[in-house]
Amino acid sequence: MNPMYRDKIILTYRQLLETHEELMERIINVGMTGEFAEINEIFREGDTFKFDLEMFRDSKDQNLQLLLGLFDELENVMNTLANVNGITEEEL
């Protein structure tokens, strides 16, 4: 494999990783201002909570489900890219 091509694949993966993290944040924000707004009101400034996207999987919010589907598809593409190209944690 051409080293320049591999470098571009790795750079693309890094960009997808940033997109993946941003999408996770967007999903949490949509969930916590929509269907889960009443739970969001419990939190005060300075509170910390570890969110898990699994919390939103059973949501009836169509927009949230669409975003979760995109998140899962993006994760599948990233995993396939890493596997097909043998991308290691050290390279990222």
Side-chain angles (χ1 to χ4, degrees):
M1 179 184 303
N2 178 335
M4 288 179 56
Y5 177 78
R6 180 173 175 73
D7 289 344
K8 295 298 180 195
I9 295 295
I10 292 170
L11 287 173
T12 300
Y13 187 96
R14 288 178 185 158
Q15 183 61 52
L16 291 175
L17 189 57
E18 287 179 28
T19 302
H20 188 256
E21 291 169 1
E22 176 71 20
L23 183 56
M24 182 186 316
E25 185 178 319
R26 297 287 118 227
I27 290 169
I28 292 168
N29 287 335
V30 167
M32 296 308 288
T33 56
E35 188 173 338
F36 298 92
E38 68 281 354
I39 295 171
N40 196 37
E41 292 175 11
I42 296 170
F43 295 106
R44 299 288 173 239
E45 190 172 330
D47 287 351
T48 59
F49 182 79
K50 175 73 171 143
F51 285 96
D52 183 348
L53 292 187
E54 295 307 311
M55 296 171 46
F56 305 108
R57 294 280 178 194
D58 293 330
S59 170
K60 307 248 184 300
D61 184 324
Q62 183 179 10
N63 294 310
L64 200 52
Q65 291 304 316
L66 286 168
L67 292 171
L68 284 163
L70 178 60
F71 181 87
D72 293 341
E73 184 61 31
L74 180 56
E75 200 165 76
N76 288 336
V77 168
M78 291 169 61
N79 287 336
T80 301
L81 269 177
N83 290 334
V84 166
N85 294 286
I87 298 172
T88 65
E89 293 274 332
E90 293 78 30
E91 292 175 298
L92 299 175

